[in-house]
Amino acid sequence: MINTTEYEQLIARYLNGELSKEDEAELIRWVSEKPENKTLFLEVKDTWDASSKNGAREMEQLLQFYRKQASHKQNSRFPGWVSGIAAAAVLVVGLVIGSLFQNNYFGEQSQVESFSVPMGSRSQLTLADGTVVNLNSDSHLKLCKNFSVQNRQVTLTGEGYFEVTADKKHPFTVKTDKFDVQVTGTKFNVSSYPNDKKINATLTEGQIQLFTKHNKTFKLKPGEKISFNQQTMEPVLEQADMESEVAWVNGKFIFNEIPFSDLIRRLERWYDVKLIYKGSEFDSMVYSGKFLNQETIWQVLDALVLTSPIDYRKNNFREFELLYKPK
Amino acid sequence: MSSFDDIFKKYHTPLFLYARKFVDDEDVILDLVQDVFALFWEKKKFRFEEEHVKAYLFNSVRNACLNFLKHEKVVRKHQENRSSVLQEMDIQYYGSGEKSLIEKENLEKIYQAIDSLSDIHKEIIELSRFEGLKNKEIAERLNIPIRTVETRLFRALSSLREKLSKNTFHIFLNICHLPAG
């Protein structure tokens, strides 16, 4: 049996001091002795927990972050929307979103011309000619001045899946840093992130023409994918695995034999996290995988740990470090 | 009906403090709370009544914490830095529907109650909770024995608890005294 002062001190030590093993045993014994003791302990601890001022840090910054996340998550949730409602209505939504992010990311004075999707989000919009564009995480789409049914030119950084309204007389052009894609009415995917090793275009339906900045022209048939090494611009034409190429449009994360560095970059964009790794052991690793159910970043990292010689630890808010660890 | 921003501003800190009951790592807590808010946004729960929103958020955060703790145990086999018996007790207590002060009161009220404590109780709460000093550091700062700090901290917390439960009672009385009809 211990006296009042003793258990009071034990609880205070537990909350805010150095509790020895003996102290802890003593406290547990006292708490388990009577229900009243347990209640008193829990109530005092509850008061302790409630009186902290610590949680208010970085409130504004956090709110900004959530806003970004939330508005885009919400926006990406409407796959069935577009078909159901007149394109005009969707266009309005597109315009509103466009202007929102124009203010945040570009700050331009002109009329709505740019759309931006932050990391961790995906977005869909309909252009004035009826073309539907899905934008993947961390992507920007800029419309040419006076974009209209007659004048269809856009500039893309990042990844977009285009369903272009057919119009033989007025070709639709997607410009990227390294190549332009010209079509008259097709479905295709373009991925051109500045930091990726490879950039590519994949055709689902119809026909596209691709012009590189080195004046080379390529024609793609449905199901084909052309990739370029970003540095050398060396082309590789292949039959694409369509499922994995455009899975992101439906909120799935599928990848097929991609280098570790590209996987990491895709995960960073998809989840809006920072993934750090050092060492050359990772360079030779190649990954294929499917995440279909909006797994959390924790689950994805756990899957990496289970399947490859990797371990991870959390360093900071939304920042993880990957470690090479042979099994 | 409140906007997402209002709800976020109102509940982010309380939820953070609530999660701290169960999980130690503050970065993890920020992530967990964020996921709860993201889902909350997607489901448009903020269109519901305030009381439901509140209960939903606190329950979601608690569940997220419990899932995280399970995950920790499986993947990391981590060494406990808190007594698991005492931690389990907390988890059971709030899992059984018991509401914490953080959920019952708003933060403003809690700070006001701290402000109304006697000077020496107020001082020890401020040193430990606002400035984050450990008992030993407080003893050095105030030049008193560490055991005195412990006793004083316990009494300050009890007194704060009493004030807060009185306050709640007060509101209750006020409601009762509203003119009928």
Side-chain angles (χ1 to χ4, degrees):
Chain A
M1 285 291 270
I2 53 175
N3 66 32
T4 310
T5 316
E6 277 168 333
Y7 74 70
E8 286 182 359
Q9 289 175 348
L10 269 180
I11 293 175
R13 215 173 302 154
Y14 169 73
L15 295 174
N16 197 37
E18 287 156 15
L19 197 73
S20 69
K21 279 276 159 223
E22 296 77 50
D23 287 344
E24 189 187 310
E26 188 69 58
L27 180 60
I28 292 173
R29 198 164 9 197
W30 178 80
V31 166
S32 327
E33 213 170 75
K34 283 186 251 166
E36 301 96 273
N37 294 1
K38 190 170 160 181
T39 309
L40 179 62
F41 169 76
L42 285 167
E43 283 185 358
V44 169
K45 180 172 182 295
D46 188 34
T47 315
W48 168 261
D49 291 332
S51 57
S52 169
K53 250 189 187 167
N54 198 5
R57 66 172 191 178
E58 303 153 13
M59 184 67 146
E60 256 319 299
Q61 193 197 331
L62 277 174
L63 184 57
Q64 285 294 335
F65 176 81
Y66 288 114
R67 257 188 216 134
K68 224 168 72 178
Q69 286 280 105
S71 64
H72 278 272
K73 276 216 168 140
Q74 180 217 9
N75 188 39
S76 63
R77 274 287 159 129
F78 297 109
W81 234 52
V82 184
S83 53
I85 299 175
V90 181
L91 178 62
V92 173
V93 175
L95 286 173
V96 171
I97 295 162
S99 57
L100 267 174
F101 285 91
Q102 184 185 16
N103 291 341
N104 287 351
Y105 293 88
F106 292 91
E108 290 170 1
Q109 293 296 309
S110 59
Q111 283 199 330
V112 176
E113 288 178 335
S114 299
F115 301 88
S116 218
V117 181
M119 301 234 273
S121 309
R122 284 154 293 285
S123 186
Q124 185 180 67
L125 52 109
T126 305
L127 306 179
D129 66 334
T131 294
V132 177
V133 187
N134 282 279
L135 288 175
N136 206 345
S137 314
D138 194 22
S139 298
H140 313 269
L141 185 77
K142 207 173 166 202
L143 308 190
C144 66
K145 273 215 169 90
N146 312 316
F147 181 95
S148 68
V149 177
Q150 282 86 34
N151 181 16
R152 306 198 289 169
Q153 275 191 30
V154 299
T155 306
L156 174 76
T157 315
E159 183 162 23
Y161 180 70
F162 295 82
E163 294 174 33
V164 176
T165 305
D167 183 348
K168 286 239 156 68
K169 282 186 208 137
H170 304 103
F172 188 100
T173 308
V174 180
K175 298 182 165 210
T176 74
D177 197 26
K178 299 277 169 59
F179 59 73
D180 296 351
V181 178
Q182 204 178 68
V183 305
T184 50
T186 55
K187 295 183 182 176
F188 63 100
N189 191 69
V190 173
S191 176
S192 173
Y193 286 104
N195 297 326
D196 277 5
K197 274 194 185 145
K198 288 182 174 175
I199 53 180
N200 63 67
T202 310
L203 183 63
T204 322
E205 259 178 58
Q207 204 184 45
I208 60 177
Q209 277 192 305
L210 190 146
F211 309 96
T212 69
K213 296 274 140 107
H214 300 81
N215 292 320
K216 283 189 189 148
T217 307
F218 299 91
K219 275 189 182 170
L220 259 66
K221 292 194 215 64
E224 282 182 339
K225 169 183 179 179
I226 188 158
S227 323
F228 299 92
N229 180 311
Q230 181 117 251
Q231 243 110 54
T232 61
M233 281 307 278
E234 200 182 287
V236 179
L237 189 70
E238 60 190 338
Q239 281 301 311
D241 171 9
M242 294 317 289
E243 194 199 6
S244 78
E245 287 304 319
V246 297
W248 66 268
V249 177
N250 302 315
K252 295 172 184 171
F253 186 57
I254 301 179
F255 43 98
N256 204 356
E257 295 187 4
I258 59 174
F260 181 78
S261 57
D262 280 5
L263 172 66
I264 293 307
R265 251 174 238 118
R266 286 182 65 171
L267 287 173
E268 286 185 326
R269 290 194 291 261
W270 192 261
Y271 287 103
D272 192 9
V273 292
K274 205 153 183 251
L275 301 173
I276 300 168
Y277 64 96
K278 295 187 197 100
S280 55
E281 293 94 343
F282 297 104
D283 292 349
S284 59
M285 298 184 197
V286 172
Y287 281 89
S288 298
K290 287 183 188 182
F291 297 111
L292 305 180
N293 303 312
Q294 311 201 322
E295 280 80 1
T296 65
I297 184 67
W298 296 95
Q299 289 170 311
V300 173
L301 292 175
D302 286 348
L304 280 185
V305 170
L306 285 174
T307 53
S308 45
I310 284 181
D311 200 3
Y312 72 93
R313 63 166 181 250
K314 192 167 195 309
N315 280 352
N316 259 311
F317 180 50
R318 306 198 75 75
E319 182 183 308
F320 297 85
E321 183 171 352
L322 303 174
L323 311 156
Y324 182 75
K325 194 179 133 207
K327 299 263 144 76
Chain B
M1 197 171 102
S2 312
S3 78
F4 181 78
D5 281 13
D6 292 340
I7 297 206
F8 177 85
K9 280 183 188 151
K10 189 163 174 188
Y11 290 121
H12 188 270
T13 304
L15 290 170
F16 179 89
L17 295 177
Y18 187 63
R20 275 257 298 273
K21 285 178 172 301
F22 315 111
V23 175
D24 290 322
D25 185 333
E26 297 193 351
D27 289 320
V28 170
I29 295 175
L30 285 174
D31 279 345
L32 294 174
V33 173
Q34 182 227 319
D35 288 344
V36 167
F37 272 113
L39 206 66
F40 175 69
W41 172 271
E42 276 178 36
K43 291 188 173 171
K44 298 265 169 215
K45 291 267 187 197
F46 52 91
R47 300 212 171 138
F48 291 87
E49 275 180 50
E50 177 100 28
E51 270 315 301
H52 292 156
V53 164
K54 195 172 175 182
Y56 168 84
L57 287 174
F58 277 86
N59 284 333
S60 303
V61 165
R62 194 178 60 248
N63 287 333
C65 289
L66 297 192
N67 284 337
F68 171 79
L69 291 175
K70 270 187 214 151
H71 156 101
E72 276 280 89
K73 267 182 199 151
V74 175
V75 179
R76 307 265 106 164
K77 298 182 189 109
H78 80 148
Q79 61 282 50
E80 300 277 343
N81 40 9
R82 281 209 243 183
S83 151
S84 55
V85 178
L86 297 171
Q87 195 180 13
E88 276 301 314
M89 237 166 60
D90 247 355
I91 291 169
Q92 269 180 21
Y93 186 63
Y94 297 103
S96 72
E98 196 65 44
K99 299 241 188 305
S100 75
L101 273 180
I102 308 159
E103 185 172 355
K104 281 190 282 196
E105 304 287 349
N106 62 44
L107 290 177
E108 245 355 87
K109 274 267 280 307
I110 294 171
Y111 297 145
Q112 273 171 23
I114 292 172
D115 223 36
S116 71
L117 290 171
S118 71
D119 283 350
I120 92 172
H121 284 166
K122 193 170 135 188
E123 177 185 56
I124 201 147
I125 297 278
E126 283 176 351
L127 289 174
S128 61
R129 296 318 269 142
F130 298 179
E131 289 188 37
L133 298 185
K134 291 285 179 194
N135 291 342
K136 203 171 144 201
E137 296 164 310
I138 298 174
E140 281 159 17
R141 173 87 70 99
L142 300 180
N143 204 13
I144 51 175
I146 189 163
R147 296 286 171 254
T148 312
V149 172
E150 290 171 354
T151 305
R152 202 178 282 178
L153 178 60
F154 182 92
R155 303 247 162 101
L157 289 170
S158 304
S159 161
L160 179 59
R161 176 100 204 167
E162 221 168 280
K163 276 189 194 295
L164 284 168
S165 39
K166 249 189 216 147
N167 275 344
T168 323
F169 194 50
H170 232 88
I171 295 170
F172 182 63
L173 281 182
N174 286 345
I175 294 167
C176 287
H177 287 140
L178 281 174

